[in-house]
Amino acid sequence: MTTTVTLTGTGVPFPSPDRAGPGVLVSHSDVHLQIDAGRSTVMRLAQAGISPHQLSALLLTHLHSDHVSDVADLVHTRWVQDHMHGTGPLPVVAVAGHAPGFVRRVLAANEFDVNVRVQHVQDGPPEVIGHWFDLPDVPAEVWRSPCDRVGVEAVRVRHEPVEQAVGYRVTTPDGVVVVSGDTRVCDEIAALSAGADVLVHEACRSSALAEAVKGTRFETIFSYHADTVALGAMARRVGVPHLVLTHLIPAPTSPEQVAEFEDEVRQGGFEGRVSVGHDLLSVTVGDAAGA
């Protein structure tokens, strides 16, 4: 058995034909964890060979719309398939504050369709199994697979003004994967990443583009995302061997712009492997070559 990490979306709120909304799939044997569900997640999962009924859990880092716009589609599609697969409700792991109400409301939007389907095919309405947890200041376990092979820890990150934002650490028999969610470079993610084999982290070219965005709304937006140079310095400090960049701000549109992300991480002193993310990029934990 091996553990793989697949980027189901590397984009930002602005739509792109090449980059779906943010999402990361971590798989170990038959345990499949989807972290966030941005725009077109269901389609990217299909391209990766994973159907919603195969997911062990959906983990939400925070409720910015670009990270959760496909939650309803994911849960609803799993429900529609349930009479074929019998996998039952999707477990959803998230901070206890706003997430339960959000999930309840987005599912309620399909009330008409649910009523029609229940009359003809489905046995009952779509449901989730909520694994809601208090916002942790230090890493704490928030989910474990029924087989006991895969554990998930969470810690709060620094994405203010969004207060209820977390990163996740997934531990499997093969190693450790950390997914930052949206955050500035911060001590909490540094602590979560210690000893990790792969760190999937958002990346923003805020230092390089500081003058270009000065005095604009982008200056504010950049302030609560992870600067590439600072990220490189943090990854070097904690000794992560493989850094995977995602949620690329601004989204690169040429090979030269892609290269600039890695160049700036190197400026921070990081000497390990860097993968500048694209949709469906897949890496294997412990595999230096990746895919």
Side-chain angles (χ1 to χ4, degrees):
M1 291 180 287
T2 58
T3 299
T4 58
V5 181
T6 304
L7 303 184
T8 57
T10 58
V12 296
F14 297 165
S16 165
D18 302 313
R19 296 184 182 274
V24 182
L25 174 69
V26 180
S27 296
H28 173 77
S29 184
D30 59 349
V31 178
H32 303 286
L33 301 177
Q34 178 64 34
I35 302 174
D36 285 340
R39 180 186 296 119
S40 300
T41 292
V42 173
M43 300 302 291
R44 288 290 190 259
L45 283 171
Q47 289 176 291
I50 297 295
S51 175
H53 79 271
Q54 294 175 277
L55 291 180
S56 304
L58 169 65
L59 285 59
L60 301 180
T61 64
H62 67 297
L63 298 185
H64 260 151
S65 60
D66 56 318
H67 289 253
V68 296
S69 60
D70 230 27
V71 168
D73 190 15
L74 191 59
V75 174
H76 203 77
T77 302
R78 180 185 174 103
W79 172 71
V80 168
Q81 294 178 321
D82 195 55
H83 70 278
M84 299 170 56
H85 303 289
T87 47
L90 178 66
V92 177
V93 183
V95 178
H98 302 304
F102 164 78
V103 173
R104 183 176 63 252
R105 288 189 296 272
V106 296
L107 294 184
N110 285 322
E111 180 181 7
F112 173 79
D113 177 71
V114 169
N115 290 338
V116 171
R117 292 183 189 274
V118 168
Q119 291 176 34
H120 292 86
V121 181
Q122 306 299 126
D123 294 328
E127 298 177 335
V128 302
I129 300 172
H131 294 260
W132 317 121
F133 58 88
D134 293 333
L135 188 64
D137 291 319
V138 296
E141 185 168 295
V142 295
W143 185 87
R144 179 162 289 273
S145 63
C147 64
D148 203 40
R149 297 195 308 269
V150 179
V152 178
E153 296 170 89
V155 74
R156 72 177 304 161
V157 295
R158 298 301 173 180
H159 193 44
E160 290 87 351
V162 178
E163 297 286 346
Q164 296 174 13
V166 297
Y168 290 107
R169 179 182 175 103
V170 181
T171 301
T172 80
D174 301 312
V176 175
V177 178
V178 170
V179 179
S180 71
D182 280 9
T183 179
R184 305 173 180 88
V185 174
C186 64
D187 292 341
E188 289 85 352
I189 279 292
L192 196 68
S193 302
D197 298 279
V198 177
L199 170 58
V200 182
H201 205 294
E202 70 134 274
C204 177
R205 300 185 60 222
S206 49
S207 288
L209 300 176
E211 285 302 316
V213 302
K214 190 173 182 178
T216 72
R217 292 184 181 180
F218 287 105
E219 184 177 26
T220 301
I221 293 170
F222 284 13
S223 72
Y224 50 80
H225 289 284
D227 174 58
T228 45
V229 179
L231 175 58
M234 186 270 284
R236 174 187 56 78
R237 187 169 67 254
V238 300
V240 172
H242 188 177
L243 179 60
V244 179
L245 307 181
T246 190
H247 199 283
L248 306 174
I249 306 172
T253 58
S254 69
E256 293 77 18
Q257 291 177 357
V258 169
E260 287 170 336
F261 277 88
E262 179 172 355
D263 291 344
E264 290 161 19
V265 166
R266 299 295 185 197
Q267 290 173 30
F270 183 66
E271 297 178 347
R273 182 181 172 202
V274 178
S275 296
V276 181
H278 57 77
D279 285 19
L280 299 179
L281 171 73
S282 183
V283 300
T284 300
V285 173
D287 181 3

